[in-house]
Amino acid sequence: MPSLTLRPGRERPLHQRHPWVFSGAISAVRGSPADGDVIEIHGANGEWLARGFYSGASQIRVRVATWDAEQPLDTAWLRAGIERAIAGRAGLADGPDAACRLVFSEADGLPGLIVDRYGPFLVVQLLTQGMATRAEAVTTALADLLAPQGIYERSDAEVRTKEGLQPQEGLLWGELPPERLELRPLTLLGTGGTPPSMLVNLRGGQKTGHYLDQAANRVRVAAYCRGADVLDCFSYSGGFSLYAAQAGAAHVTLMDTSAEALALAQANLALSAPTTPAELVAGDVFHVLRQYRAEGRTFQVVILDPPKFAHSQAQIDRAARGYKDINLLAMQLLRPGGVLATFSCSGLVSPDLFQKIVFGAAVDAHRDVQIVERLSQGPDHPVRLTFPESEYLKGLLCRVW
Ligand code: SAH
């Protein structure tokens, strides 16, 4: 079995069960491990610390999967891990048209594996060498445990490049999912009614087809939308607007640069909010909000759910300026007493920093802003205490005077 030894003083994260070993922490590697191989991790004094999966091209050289010396990282381990992750979502999405994340990578102890359930279909991302080389075992375990209609791979996330892996997409098992599938993400969260149906595109849509992580937040934001004139910025397929419409919004404006996203949003509105007046705007939020400000247009609720602005430490300052800019604009468009629902999915921007950015925007906008709710990623995207990196989505629901 290949093994490695850490540099002196680099054992602490391993003792605290953080699952990443960076290349710079390693003093020696023995046994020429291939990408995806299981490797033993030893401290500088030779003590056995953990076992994980090797990835020669990645800065994260090993993803640790067990701290138990007796636990082999075999197919039985993989299956048991998937079973535990599924058990952890009990009651979240049990209906035939429910959708929710079933496996969330390191946060579920399965580094590099994402599994999202969309009704009868599973969408899988294999994002590390360790998982990419175990595609067959993953597929077999999922087919066995869940008997889905089909398992589709969408390993097109940017992290694959850092692992030296090419994007990979296609059918792994069973039937090909249709272009558009009608679902109700996280059906059992309780919306005070039946949640709206949404069309998702598992093969061509963004991420694995849908932003599942916002499902619970859409319910929270909708609570402020009765009778309101709502501006849904970065709308994608219209998740926030559909819940707002169901809660009785007077008007929804959806804005996105992607024509495909807006086409899906249009179909979603026709399906689940046919009587709510709606406007779809194909445009850049940074520009269109400035235009609205110049025109004196105002709203009662503004939602900001931008894509990830910070992909590396070096981008944090620029990301902060981007977040501040859109938050400032949104505040300027809100009528007194209006509600701003503002999000950041950049893991590198901490909740604390995000709040400071929104504070800066409020000061510059000369508005008095109160936080009325703090939001996070949904319960199917758990945050593992030993892996703070698993916390990435944060939101502030603010009253703007
Ligand atoms: N709110 C959505 C998810 C948003 S994802 C939901 O609840 O499902 C971010 C979206 O922002 C993507 O659809 C992307 O196409 C869009 N986008 C990215 N940059 C943009 C910009 N500058 N202006 C408008 N939309 C943008």
Side-chain angles (χ1 to χ4, degrees), residues 69-282:
E70 308 303 317
Q71 177 62 63
L73 299 179
D74 53 12
T75 50
W77 163 83
L78 184 67
R79 189 189 158 103
I82 294 173
E83 253 182 309
R84 192 189 89 160
I86 294 168
R89 272 80 174 172
L92 284 182
D94 288 344
D97 57 356
C100 101
R101 176 148 297 185
L102 291 180
V103 180
F104 183 33
S105 202
E106 276 92 341
D108 279 305
L110 297 166
L113 178 63
I114 303 279
V115 181
D116 287 343
R117 183 189 151 207
Y118 290 100
F121 292 95
L122 299 176
V123 179
V124 169
Q125 292 186 318
L126 306 165
L127 301 176
T128 55
Q129 293 283 358
M131 283 300 163
T133 51
R134 285 166 181 76
E136 216 179 294
V138 169
T139 307
T140 308
L142 289 171
D144 259 24
L145 291 168
L146 295 159
Q149 203 170 322
I151 305 176
Y152 194 74
E153 180 177 10
R154 281 290 302 273
S155 301
D156 45 13
E158 51 168 328
V159 280
R160 277 210 26 141
T161 340
K162 296 182 182 164
E163 286 279 311
L165 290 161
Q166 297 299 314
Q168 177 87 25
E169 189 178 336
L171 187 66
L172 289 175
W173 190 85
E175 289 171 38
L176 201 61
E179 274 289 329
R180 286 181 177 186
L181 193 62
E182 194 181 319
L183 296 167
R184 297 171 204 272
L186 278 178
T187 47
L188 300 184
L189 269 179
T191 54
T194 313
S197 283
M198 272 183 238
L199 296 165
V200 301
N201 180 350
L202 306 187
R203 281 144 59 193
Q206 297 180 22
K207 275 197 157 185
T208 61
H210 186 78
Y211 290 87
L212 291 169
D213 51 0
Q214 287 284 27
N217 294 334
R218 295 184 188 121
V219 180
R220 290 311 318 143
V221 174
Y224 299 84
C225 292
R226 176 176 298 278
D229 188 358
V230 178
L231 174 60
D232 179 1
C233 298
F234 309 96
S235 64
Y236 186 48
S237 59
F240 280 102
S241 290
L242 295 180
Y243 277 84
Q246 173 158 300
H251 185 276
V252 288
T253 305
L254 291 75
M255 195 180 294
D256 204 290
T257 40
S258 158
E260 283 158 41
L262 290 175
L264 201 54
Q266 177 113 57
N268 277 331
L269 289 166
L271 176 73
S272 290
T275 57
T276 305
E279 183 188 353
L280 290 114
V281 181

Side-chain angles (χ1 to χ4, degrees), residues 3-16 18 20-30 39-50 61-62 64 67:
S3 68
L4 66 78
T5 304
L6 296 177
R7 288 184 197 281
R10 304 299 290 267
E11 295 88 353
R12 201 181 137 123
L14 269 293
H15 281 138
Q16 296 186 334
H18 189 276
W20 290 350
V21 177
F22 287 95
S23 57
I26 300 170
S27 72
V29 177
R30 283 170 303 274
I39 185 164
E40 308 289 325
I41 301 158
H42 298 272
N45 65 359
E47 69 172 319
W48 185 92
L49 292 173
R61 198 52 51 90
V62 179
V64 177
W67 285 264

Side-chain angles (χ1 to χ4, degrees), residues 214 217 221 240 304-306 323 341-344 354 375 393-395:
Q214 287 284 27
N217 294 334
V221 174
F240 280 102
L304 295 175
D305 183 22
Y323 287 122
T342 180
F343 295 93
S344 162
F354 187 57
L375 304 175
L393 181 63
K394 56 248 146 227

Side-chain angles (χ1 to χ4, degrees), residues 324 328 332 359-367:
K324 184 175 173 192
L328 172 62
Q332 290 171 325
F359 155 79
V363 169
D364 286 8
H366 307 297
R367 301 293 292 265

